[in-house]
Amino acid sequence: MATGRIRSDWRTNLRAHSAEILNTPAEIGDVLATDILAGIAAARAEGKLFLLGCPSGRSPKPVYDAMADKAAAGNLDLSNLVLVMMDEYLGGGEDGLGLCPPDAHNSCRRFAEHDIRRRLNAGIETAHQIPKEHVWFPDATDPGAYDARIQAAGGVDLFILASGATDGHVAFNPPGSPADGPSCIVKLAEETRRDNLGTFPDFPSLDAVPHHGLTVGLGTISNLSKAVALVIHGTHKREAASRLTQSDSFDPQWPATIIHRCKQVRILLDTAAAGKI
């Protein structure tokens, strides 16, 4: 199958006045899930795959939950959906640069299987389910091959993005990451590691958080996506929301500003994150 396209009316070059502010994370999830599911259906009608760039963690979970609820209610066909996962923790092997165990509490592969694929498949018939081979991850032994795979498939129809609360990281790209960077192995910034203490409360301390990660690059996001949707919610993300909605160009010290290099951009905030925006 070739890939489909997300709706062409999504906003571009968003600033503070045009960010969508909704009451709750659940409302963000409902609005974005409706459009994603419409895109999946449109692609399927044309015999195409729909590639969805998926982060792990708290920010996108309301979107996945809403997609699952809507899919179950309508027995929707998701068999053409491809989950293009954004990152994974390292820490295995003698050099510490092998993948973390897939059943680790912080594993993005575990999240992809349990919190996305199985969650979306739970309420729909077998023929409509997302097959395991439609869950993609970069390869730690050849990260750049991931970009080639995405490009060969026609690009990501929509990347769901989240921003680090204190340093603006996207996936595992730390401050200072190049705008055209490919998928790669990176050393995790200390602020990124601190953010993950909140995302994964089973970490007993900062010392237990991995120091390296496998990630899509900022260039993977900006160059290989047709559209992006940046999701920010919670009072702890208020600084991130302010930085992003007030920016007008890419700032390497706040990687989430890569949205200014993307083709179609949508920002969705809840009232807690929006504050006085």
Side-chain angles (χ1 to χ4, degrees):
M1 287 184 174
T3 59
R5 293 193 175 188
I6 198 69
R7 279 178 11 186
S8 62
D9 60 344
W10 281 24
R11 299 179 178 92
T12 59
N13 300 321
L14 286 185
R15 299 294 300 277
H17 65 276
S18 56
E20 297 169 65
I21 301 176
L22 297 133
N23 290 320
T24 65
E27 287 188 18
I28 292 175
D30 185 75
V31 167
L32 190 52
T34 296
D35 286 342
I36 292 171
L37 292 169
I40 294 168
R44 186 178 63 255
E46 297 178 10
K48 298 176 181 178
L49 295 173
F50 186 94
L51 271 61
L52 180 66
C54 297
S56 304
R58 292 172 290 175
S59 292
K61 199 168 185 304
V63 181
Y64 304 142
D65 288 344
M67 287 177 64
D69 291 344
K70 292 176 184 294
N75 190 31
L76 303 182
D77 189 345
L78 304 181
S79 60
N80 65 316
L81 174 60
V82 176
L83 307 177
V84 181
M85 302 305 298
M86 298 180 71
D87 46 35
E88 178 60 294
Y89 289 95
L90 302 183
E94 293 183 2
D95 59 0
L97 296 180
L99 294 173
C100 71
D103 58 351
H105 70 96
N106 61 301
S107 171
C108 299
R109 286 171 292 161
R110 184 207 59 77
F111 186 93
E113 177 62 17
H114 291 273
D115 292 84
I116 308 180
R117 194 182 79 90
R118 289 189 189 179
R119 178 81 172 87
L120 293 176
N121 284 347
I124 57 180
E125 63 183 85
T126 302
H128 291 173
Q129 294 180 356
I130 306 163
K132 283 190 174 183
E133 60 268 24
H134 280 194
V135 182
W136 295 3
F137 272 94
D139 184 342
T141 64
D142 187 10
Y146 200 46
D147 293 33
R149 183 182 191 183
I150 293 169
Q151 186 171 25
V156 173
D157 294 282
L158 173 70
F159 253 121
I160 302 173
L161 303 180
S163 171
T166 54
D167 65 359
H169 68 269
V170 173
F172 285 151
N173 293 283
S177 297
D180 60 351
S183 297
C184 60
I185 290 174
V186 297
K187 183 175 181 180
L188 302 182
E190 182 171 341
E191 291 302 328
T192 302
R193 296 175 65 238
R194 288 188 184 278
D195 285 349
N196 277 272
L197 285 175
T199 303
F200 300 105
D202 286 347
F203 282 129
S205 68
L206 183 62
D207 291 339
V209 180
H211 287 266
H212 292 85
L214 176 64
T215 184
V216 296
L218 296 183
T220 312
I221 295 168
S222 60
N223 296 328
L224 299 179
S225 66
K226 300 169 187 176
V228 300
L230 179 63
V231 174
I232 305 177
H233 52 80
T235 54
H236 67 296
K237 291 290 184 79
R238 192 166 289 178
E239 179 185 358
S242 178
R243 287 283 296 262
L244 286 159
T245 55
Q246 297 302 322
S247 67
D248 57 11
S249 62
F250 172 67
D251 177 0
Q253 295 309 308
W254 199 266
T257 55
I258 193 62
I259 59 175
H260 294 292
R261 301 285 184 94
C262 296
K263 299 174 185 68
Q264 296 188 61
V265 180
R266 190 176 189 180
I267 301 176
L268 299 100
L269 314 176
D270 74 345
T271 54
K276 295 182 180 180
I277 293 175

